[in-house]
Amino acid sequence: MYDYDLFTIGGGSGGVRASRMAAQFGAKVALAEERYLGGTCVNVGCIPKKLLVYASEFSDLFDDSAGFGWTIGERSFNWQTLIANKDLEIARLNGIYEKVLTDNGARIVRARATIADAHTVVVGSERYTARYILVATGGWPSTPSIPGGELAITSNEAFFLPQFPSRVIIVGGGYIGLEFAGIFHGLGAKVSLVHRGELFLRGFDEDVRRAVAAEMGRREIDLRFNRQVARIEKLPHGIRATFDDGSALEADLIMFATGRTPNTHNLGLEKAGVKLDYEGAVVVDAYSCSSVPNIYAVGDCTNRMQLTPVAIAEGQAVAETLFHGNPQTPDYKNVPTAVFSEPRIGTVGFTEAEARERYGAVDVYKASFRPLKNTVSGRDEHSFMKLVVDRETDRVVGCHMVGTDAGEIIQGLAIALRCGATKAQFDATIGIHPTAAEEFVTMRNKS
Ligand SMILES: Cc1cc2nc3c(=O)[nH]c(=O)nc-3n(C[C@H](O)[C@H](O)[C@H](O)COP(=O)(O)OP(=O)(O)OC[C@H]3O[C@@H](n4cnc5c(N)ncnc54)[C@H](O)[C@@H]3O)c2cc1C
């Protein structure tokens, strides 16, 4: 009756997972992708960002090596080499995403798709009918509209800059802003980070926010809170940003990291009867079903948790529900996250403030210490760890870390939280010595 069982719009983390699994379960699947297979994560998100983070770490390693007896010759950094090598790896990943779809029998349509009605997708002059339509169109950077705003870039362009800038202004206090501040700083730029609030990283634990601000300040990243960019002008050599308090800064590059909005404009969703919220996100139920019973939506276009593993879990659940007789809803509890800033952040569970509101009485354990490596390297940087415990049940309900390998460490602790581990069980676990992670099982004093 229909051309396809499933037509997916968007070949990013969520769309590819749902399409590939649906095809594996025997469905006839097509997927339209207008830009790049793998979506944001593979092309202008997690993966290229982490490669740039790796590149930026070397300056610290070179500095730290002196205390361990090394003499490093003259250093130089070539941005074009980094970007070319990054592009090669991304091209390889694009190929893997294509193969994973076609090997499972899904058809790829490389063009923009829109929805004509509940069962019809339009691509150019072609019309395809489908029993189910999956909207997986992701998000897009949102930028303030100010005079000269077009002179600023977003994270999309940062991955393809022709020249490395020596002075950078980052606007925005979310994780993407902090990560790019760390990348540009580590690669040798003078970086200013401007945020309209009192402190960046809204939603993160207060102690974590303060610890990161202190360490970034120590690294001489110029932090400017409580101000917004009012206008940007082009100068003969660079640009000038003027803030709402009248102050100004000159730089070679200004990057807006001021949030992302669901990519749902002009898709035909409203016409097909799909409800969108005030930010344009597709409104879905726990099964990712929209207000039209055969149109589903997953990932950033639904604005639930803008993370790749979450989009993948949602895509997987849709395929299980529709084509495997196994109705599934993703579990959003205890989703761990990392920020690859300088220093790193890893977090899972509730912040102290959230836990107090939810449980009333909570116990808090904190540790701030100079990591062993820094004693010999001389680096003046501390790591911070925090456990939040529900006093009534003794369950650990929040783990937070600022410091080297925070993301790697917190991933393991996320399993413990998911299993409902108590503080007594943390304490009974023998540590691995000497590591920073062992601090999580040796914190005995309540703060
Ligand atoms: C700089 C940056 C760093 C990030 N770092 C991390 C990280 O470290 N960890 C993490 O978990 N998450 C990270 N994220 C978030 C992560 O990338 C997203 O949560 C994830 O990619 C969402 O997947 P998705 O499938 O919803 O959408 P996307 O991956 O955005 O894919 C949507 C796809 O749909 C296509 N599309 C849109 N409209 C149409 C149309 N009409 N027709 C055809 N195709 C269309 C787009 O071209 C795109 O390829 C980062 C994001 C950014 C921007």
Side-chain angles (χ1 to χ4, degrees), residues 180-225:
F180 273 94
I183 289 168
F184 284 121
H185 177 260
L187 295 177
K190 183 174 177 307
V191 176
S192 301
L193 184 110
V194 180
H195 175 53
R196 63 182 175 184
E198 290 271 307
L199 189 57
F200 46 42
L201 291 177
R202 191 162 54 89
F204 283 74
D205 188 89
E206 282 299 314
D207 285 323
V208 167
R209 299 169 76 189
R210 278 198 290 271
V212 174
E215 296 300 341
M216 283 177 78
R218 230 197 292 267
R219 282 170 174 265
E220 295 182 356
I221 293 177
D222 170 34
L223 302 177
R224 300 186 179 217
F225 296 123

Side-chain angles (χ1 to χ4, degrees), residues 7-87:
F7 197 109
T8 300
I9 305 180
S13 311
V16 168
R17 174 57 67 102
S19 304
R20 161 196 163 189
M21 293 314 298
Q24 256 180 40
F25 295 147
K28 192 175 175 204
V29 177
L31 176 146
E33 170 52 56
E34 66 174 333
R35 222 170 266 113
Y36 29 46
L37 277 173
T40 303
C41 176
V42 167
N43 296 279
V44 288
C46 336
I47 301 295
K49 171 198 76 189
K50 191 78 189 283
L51 293 174
L52 265 50
V53 165
Y54 283 132
S56 70
E57 282 175 348
F58 284 95
S59 51
D60 275 6
L61 293 174
F62 296 148
D63 289 346
D64 290 352
S65 69
F68 292 93
W70 289 89
T71 302
I72 304 281
E74 198 189 323
R75 306 181 204 170
S76 69
F77 165 69
N78 188 306
W79 171 256
Q80 285 77 14
T81 303
L82 170 62
I83 296 304
N85 288 336
K86 180 266 294 177
D87 288 345

Side-chain angles (χ1 to χ4, degrees), residues 84-113:
N85 288 336
K86 180 266 294 177
D87 288 345
L88 274 180
E89 173 56 11
I90 302 308
R92 190 184 71 84
L93 293 175
N94 294 145
I96 288 176
Y97 272 75
E98 176 172 351
K99 193 166 153 42
V100 101
L101 285 168
T102 50
D103 281 1
N104 282 294
R107 176 180 170 200
I108 301 170
V109 182
R110 290 180 178 270
R112 178 171 172 79

Side-chain angles (χ1 to χ4, degrees), residues 53 72 390 406 427 443:
V53 165
I72 304 281
D390 171 21
D427 294 347
M443 284 195 239

Side-chain angles (χ1 to χ4, degrees), residues 372-391:
L372 179 61
K373 187 178 173 191
N374 293 358
T375 57
V376 171
S377 72
R379 177 171 296 282
D380 182 19
E381 187 168 285
H382 285 67
S383 290
F384 173 76
M385 290 174 177
K386 179 169 179 176
L387 288 178
V388 184
V389 179
D390 171 21
R391 194 174 295 161

Side-chain angles (χ1 to χ4, degrees), residues 335-357:
V335 173
T337 60
V339 181
F340 298 96
S341 47
E342 287 179 355
R344 307 278 188 270
I345 304 168
T347 178
V348 60
F350 294 116
T351 66
E352 181 181 341
E354 287 167 345
R356 285 195 190 286
E357 199 168 311

